[in-house]
Every structure is written in structure tokens, then in C-alpha cells.
Amino acid sequence: KAFEDERYDYIFKLVVVGDSGVGKSSLVNQFCHESFTFDLKSTIGVEFNVKTVEVNGKIIKSQLWDTAGQERYRSVAASYYRGALGAVLVFDVTYTKSFLNLPFWIDEVKRYCADAKILLVGNKTDLKDLRGVTHADAFEFAAANNLMYVESSAKDNGSVGYAFKKLLGEVQSDRE
Ligand code: GDP
Ligand code: MG
């Protein structure tokens, strides 16, 4: 029976990108393991996580690729992006610079996986008093760049599953 649990309709590779410190690994950790810690340890290279969810009645196995620190040097390898069908592009709503750097990440995703669906995620919404980027500004930027937009808190698990499922649903609807 064990292998029954391994059944899925689709397997999709997603990459998680954005400036260092915005909460990429925390979002992946929350989505895949339902947990949050302020000192998530990071390894060198790339981390893989898998999570199987049901979206629109289909069982989707997602392979999440998370950079482990190299985004700090703006040098994420081309192989990281290869075959990705979706990208979770994260910025920190309390850190304006991570918002202003979004065009760099959009260019990267478009260069290496031109057809990937991109979901923009404004993370750390639990830090309301520290907010530097308004919902309106982010929403407008997303619309101007043809991106879907969701706000999340990896800490409070606000909209984390919703965000990943929204992107997976978007990728899946292309394949029907
Ligand atoms: P990464 O470099 O993009 O992978 O970011 P991390 O996931 O390592 O997170 C960077 C820091 O921000 C860590 O101290 C996290 O605990 C913290 N963090 C991540 N997401 C949130 C969030 O939604 N709210 C708050 N308050 N802190 C967060
Ligand atoms: Mg990380």
C-alpha cells in the first residue's frame, strides 16, 4: 500500500527566488513541514523539498528548489532554474530594498525559464508596524509586470499554503 501514497497526477518543479533574508526558506519550511523558527539553519548549495497537495482535484507533487545563501551574491546558477515551471518570487514587506530589487529577479527568471509562471509574494506581513512597502504599491507593481500577487507570513502561517497552491494551480491549468 505504501506506494499508493506516492501516486500523483503531476510533478512540478518550482524555484524560490528573491533577496537574502526575505523569508524564502521559512516559507518553504512552513509549506512543507508546518513549522517556523527564527534560526533556520542554512546549508551551502541548493535545498530540495517536496510537498504533495491537491489542487483543483489533481494530486500535485511539487519539488521546491530553495537557494541556500548564494542569492546573497546575486549568482544563482542557471541549473537551478532549469525545467522550473513556476517561480515563487519573494520580497520582505518591511525591507524596501528587497522590493526595489525585484526587477533583477524577474529578469533572471525570464532569462532562464521563460515560460515559468511567477507568483510575487510579499512576506512578513505579521510585522505590521515595520511595513515599508504598501499592499497598493506591491499590487500595482505586480499588475504592471503581469505577476500574480499574494501577501504572506511564514511566521504566522498566513496564506503560505494558499500562495503555493495558487502557483501550482496556475501551472496545472496550463496542462489540462
Ligand atoms: P531567506 O534568506 O530568504 O531564505 O530567509 P529566511 O527564511 O532564512 O528568513 C530570514 C529571517 O527572517 C529569519 O530570521 C526568519 O526567521 C525571518 N522570517 C522569515 N519569514 C518571516 C515572517 O513571515 N515573519 C517574521 N517576523 N520573520 C520572518
Ligand atoms: Mg534561505
Side-chain angles (χ1 to χ4, degrees):
K1 273 276 168 206
F3 86 102
E4 290 257 318
D5 298 334
E6 291 296 319
R7 282 179 21 183
Y8 50 83
D9 298 304
Y10 296 101
I11 182 157
F12 296 148
K13 171 180 173 177
L14 303 183
V15 288
V16 187
V17 293
D19 280 8
S20 180
V22 297
K24 299 181 299 298
S25 301
S26 299
L27 286 166
V28 169
N29 197 43
Q30 184 61 264
F31 180 53
C32 297
H33 310 296
E34 290 87 35
S35 77
F36 177 83
T37 156
F38 274 111
D39 48 20
L40 193 66
K41 70 168 192 303
S42 74
T43 53
I44 302 302
V46 174
E47 289 187 32
F48 304 92
N49 278 275
V50 293
K51 173 82 172 177
T52 303
V53 288
E54 192 179 324
V55 181
N56 302 331
K58 300 287 183 194
I59 299 170
I60 301 179
K61 184 169 182 174
S62 54
Q63 262 183 359
L64 296 148
W65 289 48
D66 179 24
T67 61
Q70 70 273 41
E71 78 278 22
R72 203 161 294 152
Y73 312 102
R74 292 281 182 93
S75 64
V76 180
S79 58
Y80 178 76
Y81 293 98
R82 195 168 299 132
L85 299 176
V88 181
L89 171 52
V90 187
F91 73 97
D92 174 347
V93 298
T94 72
Y95 189 46
T96 306
K97 189 155 186 295
S98 69
F99 178 69
L100 298 175
N101 281 340
L102 290 173
F104 166 83
W105 294 109
I106 294 171
D107 285 351
E108 286 260 301
V109 172
K110 295 211 160 142
R111 171 151 31 134
Y112 293 117
C113 41
D115 298 328
K117 302 278 182 191
I118 305 176
L119 173 71
L120 180 63
V121 175
N123 187 43
K124 307 198 189 181
T125 53
D126 57 286
L127 301 173
K128 290 185 186 66
D129 299 340
L130 298 175
R131 213 167 155 136
V133 181
T134 65
H135 180 277
D137 284 346
F139 190 83
E140 196 177 303
F141 176 86
N145 289 276
N146 248 315
L147 313 175
M148 299 172 278
Y149 181 57
V150 168
E151 298 198 329
S152 69
S153 166
K155 179 168 176 278
D156 297 349
N157 196 9
S159 302
V160 176
Y162 171 79
F164 283 96
K165 286 183 185 178
K166 185 177 174 68
L167 180 58
L168 291 168
E170 221 23 64
V171 172
Q172 184 255 325
S173 65
D174 258 17
R175 262 138 255 276
E176 287 293 276

